[in-house]
Amino acid sequence: MRRPVLLVIAHGSRDPRHAATVHALARRVRSLRPGLRVETAFLDFDTPSVPAVLDRLAAEGVRDVVALPLLLTRAFHAKADIPAVLREAPACLRIRRAAVLGPSPLLLSALEQRLYEAGLDPADKSSTGVVLASAGSSDPEAIAVIADIAREWRHTGWCAVRPAFASASLPRTEDAVRALRDVPGVRRVAVAPYVLAPGFLPDRIARGAAGADVLADVLGPAPAVARLLVRRYEEAYAPDTCPVAPLARIPALA
């Protein structure tokens, strides 16, 4: 049986770096799973749109799709926007929704890779305070997840880890940087953007990191992120255990 198409659904941005990063991540996923068809679509701003890709797949005779939200938390886009657009898919498509990417140990690995690429060394962990800087959300569940990730990450050896948000919630990145300066044992402060691609809010995080010693890059097409996309796809599509059914009968995976 032919494996379902993987449809990666990104938010989209007016910033062209966003789409370029999404496409780079999709290319890395293809390199990990040769033969797997990977399509990308966007909820807003960029093209192709999700309905356009779904219509094209249906016209080509595709019947099975795994829709993977390129999102780090289950906030509004995961709970409302993506289910709404998928409900309008052509009736001939059988669509499974994969889980959002976070939380996952693979994302922590990607965050650390970006920090090391920015100049830190594993030996620096015990004397470094890290700001886990996310885009922010008005969804309390999403905010609580970021706080939980910061606590978990702290237990891997960092001197301290504090969450921060570029919008909707507090503290801001610059406030978390200042707070870490006062933590006993912190000799340097690093900012790790918990975002997938460049854009308006990641740029705000970067401006807030002006007082830090190290600013990591966005997660982007980090190898661990690509492996996580493959994992979410395989979790959603398990041909030996999960029969394919119409979209309305399949809940999003937690």
Side-chain angles (χ1 to χ4, degrees):
M1 184 173 64
R2 181 179 299 177
R3 292 176 67 84
V5 171
L6 170 56
L7 175 60
V8 178
I9 302 177
H11 180 271
S13 170
R14 293 186 177 91
D15 189 322
R17 297 174 297 167
H18 177 92
T21 301
V22 172
H23 291 308
L25 178 57
R27 287 193 297 272
R28 176 151 273 170
V29 172
R30 292 185 192 103
S31 73
L32 293 176
R33 288 293 183 273
L36 173 62
R37 181 172 178 180
V38 182
E39 297 281 347
T40 57
F42 300 88
L43 290 173
D44 206 353
F45 303 117
D46 291 304
T47 57
S49 68
V50 179
V53 174
L54 292 173
D55 288 346
R56 173 166 54 82
L57 291 174
E60 292 176 8
V62 171
R63 292 297 174 261
D64 297 304
V65 177
V66 170
L68 196 161
L70 199 60
L71 301 169
L72 295 173
T73 60
R74 288 193 71 252
F76 182 79
H77 295 303
K79 294 177 179 179
D81 289 345
I82 289 177
V85 75
L86 293 179
R87 280 195 293 270
E88 301 303 316
C92 62
L93 292 177
R94 295 182 292 264
I95 302 177
R96 292 178 181 271
R97 276 193 291 139
V100 298
L101 298 182
S104 169
L106 284 170
L107 291 174
L108 295 183
S109 296
L111 286 166
E112 294 201 357
Q113 176 190 344
R114 292 300 189 223
L115 286 170
Y116 298 148
E117 290 169 350
L120 285 181
D121 185 271
D124 297 327
K125 291 182 73 169
S126 63
S127 59
T128 301
V130 181
V131 178
L132 180 67
S134 76
S137 173
S138 58
D139 188 313
E141 178 186 347
I143 297 304
V145 166
I146 300 300
D148 288 343
I149 293 170
R151 284 191 291 270
E152 177 183 349
W153 202 18
R154 161 71 178 81
H155 293 309
T156 66
W158 297 101
C159 184
V161 180
R162 299 286 176 85
F165 307 94
S167 67
S169 304
L170 296 174
R172 295 287 184 258
T173 302
E174 53 269 34
D175 299 325
V177 169
R178 284 193 294 269
L180 282 171
R181 294 291 185 194
D182 296 328
V183 173
V186 170
R187 294 203 295 268
R188 67 188 63 76
V189 175
V191 174
Y194 191 63
V195 292
L196 287 163
F200 176 76
L201 293 178
D203 284 349
R204 181 179 288 178
I205 289 171
R207 291 193 298 272
D213 302 295
V214 174
L215 170 62
D217 199 358
V218 299
L219 294 169
V225 177
R227 292 198 301 272
L228 180 56
L229 264 68
V230 172
R231 178 176 296 179
R232 292 291 185 250
Y233 171 85
E234 292 175 345
E235 289 168 349
Y237 171 61
D240 294 334
T241 57
C242 300
V244 177
L247 172 66
R249 300 180 187 175
I250 301 175
L253 297 177

